[in-house]
Each structure stands twice: as structure tokens, then as C-alpha cells.
Amino acid sequence: MNWNTLLLTAGLFACVVAAQPVSRMHLLEVEPDGRGNRPIDFVDDRPAALTAATAAPNGITYHNGPVMTGTTHIYYIWYGDWSTDATAPAILNNFANKIGGSPYYNINTTYTNSAKTAVSNAVTLAGSVTDTSTKTSLSDADIWSIVVRSFGNGFPVDPNGVYFVLTAPGVKATSGFLTAYCGWHTYNVYNGVTVKYSFVGNAKGPSLRSCAAQTTGSPNNDPAADGMVSVLAHELEETVTDPQLNAWYDANGNENADKCSWTFGTAYAAGGGAANMKLGTMDYLIQRNWVNANGGSCALSYTGSPDYGLIVSPGSQTVAQGAKSGNYTINVSTSNGFSGSVSFTVSGLPAGATLSPAPAATKTSATFAVLASATAAAGTYTLTINGTSGTLKHSTTTTLVITSNKTYTISVTPSLLNVKRGNTGQFSVAVVSKGGFNSPVKLTVTGLPERTTGTITTTTINGAGSTTLKVTPASNSVLGAYTLIVTGTSGAMVMNGSTTLVLQ
């Protein structure tokens, strides 16, 4: 198919592509399910009456839910074996690093929350992890589990993050990848934080045409990866404007990007195919987005009032009590010719922590560090960086971790003890103070074999000291080697010591 035919075909399909109908109805509106990113050949079969319901001035309506303001942090989870598409990471990484501040992403600034605060034209790639699990058929629950697994693999639980599960070629999503959708976004709650996440699969193979506008050539000579970028852009812009599926959508349940699915506007030749925008050093063919202004329209860019966004790095710094952290860097991301100076304040510091130095007003970037006094409480804190330039105010967040100099360790000796069944063996347990630690430590033991008793002579040690752990296996205890864990708990500080018990 030549490029002119492709654009015509995509435009025709766009007239009928829309969000999946769901059973929840309100004033003849269909609520979104985050899965309106349909394959190219999807045909809409909803009742025609819905298409005329609840007209809005710009063709899309606000339903009072939250939007994502401040800098959006992209987290990539590379799932599966990516050796079969080794060029994909560079293509997708460049997109995530360069989409913020672009005229295309500026379209999202036409969407606001109930306080009239707009989405910021600021995005950063905050992290990437690889999940090499071998399961190749994923349910929706599996995809959420992959996101949760990333929290144990170095990712923070970031309320301003969007976690993209990017699956390698050959990985199936059983709820409808390539047949019912090309990608989706949703949310869940983890440890009290509303986590926004998205699935985007690699369509490489016989069904590539379902989710890629170009199949034999593309701007970066990787049609599958280039197709993923278009789907990912679609999900990103829907997530920031409708993160909990109750903010911006039209009467048919179409979110902003759904309204422009598989339409591309003016294109030009690039690489082995066609493109419609350049981000950084790479060209891309990306579906248009819906401008919520001037009556509403599909577009590749939006020029609004001069504005800026804030990007802070790194996402976390750790500092010990009585020490100074490394520098945080604030970058000012400008759009629409913004040239003003931004001044900063930082909130969320615990008592005993101060800025050293405070960030200076700037047009480009600023730095600050945190000095933690010896009395600053150990813990994890969310710092909010607030930027002000005239009437324009934006914010973003980062994390500060303060560690205590006052701590302790648990030691258990000997490291291995042979005990005959029916007899009693003894271990020495020591609490060793560090940095002047002098608080009570409660001791417990776990890992004992069945039918074996364990008694700690003194269960609470103040600051430092030693006690005895006595173990008595019954005459019918099972022979073998067992790892015993002695745990010390002092407030939020939990330390462990271990030893081996061998029953003879």
C-alpha cells in the first residue's frame, strides 16, 4: 500500500474507531474503559443514538475526575525476550526522552482539572527495568503483577508516574491484543498510592498490520517498534488527561486520543517509510491528538500561551543524619516561546532538614541539596518543588530518604550448632550499638523446626547487650539443618541475625 492510500484508509477507519462500549451509562454517555486504542480494522457497532448525546463546546467533556499535572514520569518495563527486536529500545527511549516540551505534547495543555490547572508539557523517562519472565500469555492480572514486581526491582511507587509494560514480540495479552485493542491504560492502588499503568505490545509478526500503520518500511526501519511508539503516545496522552477514567471523554466514551485514532495529518518521507514529526534525532509517524480548544480538532501540534514545566532529577536522594545530600537538578521545560524566570520553593522537608543551598531563580535549570541535622527523623519523604513565574505556577515531586546514624546489629554465635534430639543447645545473641544507639530492642526467633522450642532469656535489650537463645528439640523432631533468624525490632528499625541449627 502506498503512502497516499494508507492515509486515506487510515482516515476512513478513524471515522469508526472508538472506545469499547461498556454497560455503565450516565445521561446517555458511555464511560471510557481505557481500551479505545483499537486495531486499524476495528468497526464500531454502538447504537447511533449515542453519537449525538451530550455535545460539548470542543467535542469533549470534563467529568470532574483528576488529571496529571506537573512533570509526568515515564517508567518502562521491558518484559520478555527483546533480542528479537533489538532496535526497539533506542526508538522508544528517544521518544520518552524527547516528547516533553514538543509542540505535539503541548496539545495536552488544553486539558485542566477542576481547579483549572493544566496538564504540563513536561515528561521525563524516569527509569527502565527488564523483566525476563518466560510466561508468553498474559492476563490483565499478570500485567498488574508485572508492575508490582517492578517496585521490588528498583522503581519507586510514583503518583506522577506512568508505568508502561512493553511486551516483546510473541508475547500475547489474552484480553484482546491485536484483535480488540493495540494498547490500554488503567490504574490500581498500591500501598495507598494510585498507580497509573499501561500495556503496549510489540505486534511483530503476521498481525503487524492490526496495530502498525506501516508494515514494510518505517521511519526508523523497524515497523513494529515504530508502531509501538504511536500506540504508546496514544496511551500516554489519555493517561495524563483521564488517569482514572473519570475526567476527559466524549459522549461515546472516547478519550482525547481515541477521537483521532489512526489519523496522521501531513506526512513526509523518512527512513524507510513516512513520518509526521521529528523528536530529538528520530522521525516518527504518530496518531494525532484532540485539541480541547477552538471548537476541538485532531492535530499534530498546538500553540498556546507561553508556559513551562518542571523536571527534577534524580528521583531520590539518600542522606545520613548529620550529612548533606547530593544535588537535585531542576530543569525548566519551556513551550510556546516562554522566556520568563522561574523561582522555586521546596516543601515537604522534615524538621531538622534544610535546603543547602536553596535553588535560585532561573530560566533553564537550578540545583539544591538537603542538609539533614543529627536530629532529623529517619524516614522517606516526598519533596514538592514549586515553581512560580508571574501567574504561572507548576510543581513536581522527588524523594528524600534520611537514614539514621544511630543503629544496631544482631549477631548470633556460633554460626552452626549440632544438637541431639531431646537435648538443649545454646546460642549467644548480641545487640551491638552503633552511633550511640540506646533504644530498646525486642528480640524474637523464627525458623525453628517443628516440635522444637526456642527461648530467649532476655527478650528486650536496651541499646546494647547480650542474651541466650536456648533450643530444645523433641525426641521425634525431624533431623536436618535449619536456619534460625533472630529479629531485633526497635521502632521502625528491624535488624536480623542468623545461625544454623543441625538436629542429630
Side-chain angles (χ1 to χ4, degrees):
M1 181 182 297
N2 64 38
W3 174 242
N4 291 328
T5 303
L6 174 68
L7 280 181
L8 175 61
T9 303
L12 290 174
F13 282 130
C15 294
V16 296
V17 173
Q20 181 180 10
V22 295
S23 59
R24 298 168 296 167
M25 302 287 289
H26 178 65
L27 298 178
L28 288 181
E29 287 189 340
V30 176
E31 296 179 0
D33 62 359
R35 298 180 184 237
N37 198 335
R38 298 299 191 190
I40 291 175
D41 290 331
F42 178 77
V43 176
D44 186 7
D45 59 359
R46 288 174 316 218
L50 291 177
T51 63
T54 317
N58 292 317
I60 194 166
T61 305
Y62 181 52
H63 295 79
N64 299 314
V67 303
M68 295 180 68
T69 59
T71 302
T72 297
H73 305 145
I74 289 178
Y75 296 91
Y76 279 165
I77 305 169
W78 298 91
Y79 179 90
D81 180 8
W82 279 91
S83 64
T84 56
D85 192 353
T87 60
I91 296 170
L92 272 72
N93 286 342
N94 179 78
F95 168 81
N97 282 315
K98 300 301 181 181
I99 185 65
S102 68
Y104 174 71
Y105 197 78
N106 203 50
I107 293 172
N108 291 309
T109 67
T110 62
Y111 294 86
T112 61
N113 61 16
S114 57
K116 302 302 181 184
T117 302
V119 172
S120 298
N121 188 0
V123 181
T124 184
L125 178 57
S128 294
V129 296
T130 299
D131 189 319
T132 57
S133 301
T134 57
K135 189 174 184 179
T136 57
S137 185
L138 304 176
S139 67
D140 290 352
D142 290 330
I143 292 167
W144 170 239
S145 295
I146 291 167
V147 175
V148 171
R149 201 152 57 229
S150 75
F151 299 144
N153 198 19
F155 276 175
V157 184
D158 185 349
N160 232 45
V162 183
Y163 299 83
F164 285 96
V165 177
L166 308 174
T167 55
V171 177
K172 298 178 181 178
T174 58
S175 59
F177 178 47
L178 300 177
T179 58
Y181 57 77
C182 295
W184 49 259
H185 74 95
T186 189
Y187 69 98
N188 214 324
V189 177
Y190 183 84
N191 286 349
V193 177
T194 300
V195 175
K196 279 72 72 175
Y197 66 103
S198 171
F199 163 83
V200 178
N202 188 305
K204 186 177 183 180
S207 298
L208 176 60
R209 184 185 175 279
S210 295
C211 294
Q214 301 175 89
T215 58
T216 58
S218 67
N220 299 293
N221 299 305
D222 185 337
D226 279 325
M228 287 184 75
V229 169
S230 185
V231 173
L232 194 152
H234 181 125
E235 296 305 325
L236 176 63
E237 52 213 22
E238 290 181 348
T239 301
V240 298
T241 59
D242 194 27
Q244 296 182 34
L245 309 178
N246 61 357
W248 288 97
Y249 56 89
D250 69 12
N252 294 322
N254 288 322
E255 297 171 298
N256 56 352
D258 295 331
K259 294 173 71 66
C260 304
S261 289
W262 304 113
T263 70
F264 301 94
T266 302
Y268 57 89
N276 58 5
M277 69 182 71
K278 192 177 190 71
L279 300 172
T281 60
M282 294 184 175
D283 296 287
Y284 298 98
L285 183 69
I286 295 177
Q287 300 167 67
R288 294 187 294 175
N289 192 14
W290 187 261
V291 175
N292 183 29
N294 306 319
S297 62
C298 291
L300 289 173
S301 64
Y302 175 73
T303 302
S305 302
D307 205 350
Y308 69 93
L310 303 178
I311 301 172
V312 62
S313 62
S316 179
Q317 292 273 21
T318 299
V319 60
Q321 291 170 327
K324 182 178 176 180
S325 75
N327 279 338
Y328 295 91
T329 298
I330 308 167
N331 287 303
V332 178
S333 173
T334 64
S335 59
N336 306 321
F338 176 85
S339 59
S341 184
V342 182
S343 58
F344 303 99
T345 59
V346 179
S347 59
L349 288 167
T354 56
L355 299 181
S356 178
T362 183
K363 295 182 178 181
T364 54
S365 64
T367 61
F368 71 94
V370 175
L371 178 63
S373 70
T375 60
T380 300
Y381 303 92
T382 297
L383 305 185
T384 300
I385 295 89
N386 305 289
T388 301
S389 181
T391 60
L392 297 175
K393 297 182 179 182
H394 297 297
S395 64
T396 189
T397 60
T398 189
T399 300
L400 172 69
V401 180
I402 299 178
T403 59
S404 176
N405 283 330
K406 295 182 178 181
T407 187
Y408 62 95
T409 60
I410 304 291
S411 66
V412 185
T413 55
S415 59
L416 184 150
L417 182 65
N418 296 308
V419 178
K420 291 184 178 181
R421 291 184 295 185
N423 293 341
T424 297
Q426 292 191 170
F427 295 92
S428 177
V429 178
V431 177
V432 180
S433 171
K434 292 187 175 182
F437 175 85
N438 61 358
S439 299
V441 179
K442 183 178 179 180
L443 300 173
T444 57
V445 60
T446 56
L448 290 165
E450 292 184 8
R451 297 182 291 277
T452 298
T453 59
T455 303
I456 299 175
T457 303
T458 303
T459 57
T460 300
I461 302 292
N462 289 315
S466 61
T467 186
T468 300
L469 167 63
K470 296 181 180 181
V471 293
T472 305
S475 59
N476 61 346
S477 295
V478 179
L479 301 178
Y482 300 88
T483 299
L484 307 185
I485 304 295
V486 177
T487 300
T489 303
S490 180
M493 284 193 289
V494 178
M495 302 293 176
N496 294 313
S498 64
T499 188
T500 301
L501 170 66
V502 178
L503 297 189
Q504 296 180 325

